[in-house]
Amino acid sequence: MPDRVIVEVDEDLSDLIPGFLTHKRADVATIVDANARRDYAEIGRIAHRIKGEGTSYGFELMTEMGRSLEQAATMRDDAAVATLARQLLNYMDRVEIVFQPSRD
């Protein structure tokens, strides 16, 4: 298996993480479809959401990828969008979540 990416997440989010990752995979599929249609507005909207949600759930790298996707959509760079979408899926395939006790 490829190198795992360890992500520490607050245990209070443990019930939300599987659904979150499922939705992000669906978002990537939508980005790929939108890229085929050259719908940069849709790509930008989804990328902006990924950028905002990533860190909220403890996935800082996902936030960075969302930021890069948003920039690629602004530049109308089909190749960059496709590459970043693949990288985001690869990241989610390799992520290993370690739940940490709440810091409250």
Side-chain angles (χ1 to χ4, degrees):
M1 172 146 290
D3 294 337
R4 303 304 289 166
V5 178
I6 306 297
V7 176
E8 294 182 357
V9 176
D10 188 308
E11 68 185 359
D12 289 345
L13 299 175
S14 63
D15 290 344
L16 301 176
I17 295 300
F20 171 74
L21 291 174
T22 297
H23 285 105
K24 295 309 103 190
R25 285 181 182 283
D27 283 346
V28 172
T30 302
I31 287 170
V32 169
D33 182 58
N35 198 36
R37 295 187 325 271
R38 292 183 164 72
D39 187 345
Y40 302 106
E42 183 170 11
I43 295 165
R45 280 190 300 275
I46 296 168
H48 185 78
R49 189 171 61 232
I50 291 169
K51 180 178 76 173
E53 292 173 343
T55 300
S56 297
Y57 284 87
F59 298 92
E60 285 80 15
L61 188 55
M62 189 179 289
T63 288
E64 292 303 316
M65 289 182 196
R67 181 174 291 115
S68 295
L69 271 165
E70 191 172 30
Q71 291 170 347
T74 299
M75 302 294 293
R76 298 175 167 263
D77 187 339
D78 299 348
V81 169
T83 296
L84 288 161
R86 281 191 308 273
Q87 288 174 350
L88 185 51
L89 280 178
N90 180 270
Y91 168 76
M92 287 188 282
D93 286 344
R94 297 180 315 130
V95 76
E96 183 176 319
I97 300 162
V98 176
F99 292 106
Q100 298 295 320
S102 297
R103 296 181 182 143
D104 295 342

